Amino acid sequence: SAHKTVDRIIGSFPADQHNQIRSMLSNTLRGIICQQLLPRADGGGRIAAFEILIVNKAIGNLIRENRAYQIPSIIQTASNLGMVLMDDSLMELVRAGAVDPVTAYYSAHKPKTFLPVLPQGFPSCRSTVGLATRPAGELPTDAWKVRSLPPVFSMMSARLTV
């Protein structure tokens, strides 16, 4: 996500420089685009879901004040400026029929928001146990029992057909 990208950029510098880097980043960064490539619901390749952050004064202040964790709330309220949360992009793809709801559920930052669109027969979709401990994008070990999903989340070694 965009706020984690900001944290990774700052974290790549020595700790004693973090305040200086935050200040510089808040003044120079213009935007961040994060993407996830997901299998199309029709099986015809992959489709991208995006998170888009456009840096404005509010975002710059959050970066400078070491409050990047609050960036998603600004993205959500500033959708009229072209900012998009990953989960909103995923939901749009599900509603358009481009991505399977189960795939979106396992790719989401907040999987609970996808519970209403999941198929009734999906056993783990109605249970929220373990959602907080499972990183976004990680399939449970028994996912193959529910439905046959391609290994979406090991994309580094996968051949992508877009």
Side-chain angles (χ1 to χ4, degrees), residues 35-39 46-49 152-153 155 160 162:
Q35 75 172 11
Q36 291 186 59
L37 293 174
L38 306 165
R46 307 243 179 213
I47 191 165
V152 182
F153 305 103
M155 287 192 260
L160 303 178
V162 179

Side-chain angles (χ1 to χ4, degrees), residues 53-98:
L53 166 72
I54 300 168
V55 178
N56 57 20
K57 278 188 172 187
I59 298 290
N61 287 336
L62 292 177
I63 293 170
R64 190 173 20 269
E65 297 168 4
N66 195 21
R67 296 189 299 153
Y69 61 90
Q70 293 179 334
I71 288 175
S73 63
I74 301 293
I75 293 173
Q76 190 171 24
T77 59
S79 61
N80 61 327
L81 300 175
M83 295 194 218
V84 180
L85 286 171
M86 181 62 71
D87 287 357
D88 293 341
S89 179
L90 289 168
M91 187 61 82
E92 186 177 318
L93 291 171
V94 167
R95 289 188 177 134

